[in-house]
Amino acid sequence: MKPMEPMKPMEPMKPMEPMKPMEPMKGMEPFWPKDLGDPSTSGSQNGMKYAFFPDKHRLLIERDGQVSTYDSGDHRIGGVSQSDGSTKSLTFSSQNGDVDLGSLKKLD
């Protein structure tokens, strides 16, 4: 039987490579014309997008790649809710309460 060789000391570990910074996530690409500026609120829900421009009194809705523009009147849109079902109707919240999209004047 061979005598056991003495154990070698553990090698020091190499330091870890520094992590590369993460790429920023891409936000939603604007679907509205640049001349409207930046919306005060925008979002998407169930394949529909919306953007509200209070200075221009405009609410834009994109459904199935088609953009519709509405006159928001004196409403200051702050959020959206969508009814379930096949109608896909949108209701927006404003300082005056809920506003049904059908009650706004469609401009195009």
Side-chain angles (χ1 to χ4, degrees), residues 2-49:
K2 277 177 143 177
M4 273 182 101
E5 290 184 28
M7 282 183 77
K8 293 182 183 173
M10 244 177 104
E11 298 276 325
M13 289 180 66
K14 291 182 182 173
M16 284 180 60
E17 294 279 323
M19 288 181 67
K20 292 184 170 83
M22 288 179 60
E23 291 288 320
M25 288 179 64
K26 285 193 173 184
M28 185 171 68
E29 288 294 316
F31 63 91
W32 54 84
K34 289 184 180 182
D35 64 335
L36 285 175
D38 292 325
S40 65
T41 185
S42 65
S44 63
Q45 189 172 354
N46 295 341
M48 289 188 263
K49 299 177 186 175

Side-chain angles (χ1 to χ4, degrees), residues 28 31-32 36-43 49-61 68 70-80 92-95 99 104:
M28 185 171 68
F31 63 91
W32 54 84
L36 285 175
D38 292 325
S40 65
T41 185
S42 65
K49 299 177 186 175
Y50 72 94
F52 174 60
F53 303 87
D55 297 340
K56 309 272 187 191
H57 302 280
R58 295 293 178 262
L59 175 65
L60 273 66
I61 307 289
S68 300
Y70 296 85
D71 183 344
S72 61
D74 66 345
H75 297 291
R76 294 191 65 79
I77 305 294
V80 63
F92 293 89
S93 57
S94 83
Q95 83 283 14
V99 180
L104 298 178

Side-chain angles (χ1 to χ4, degrees), residues 84-95:
D84 292 329
S86 60
T87 59
K88 290 192 175 181
S89 67
L90 294 173
T91 302
F92 293 89
S93 57
S94 83
Q95 83 283 14

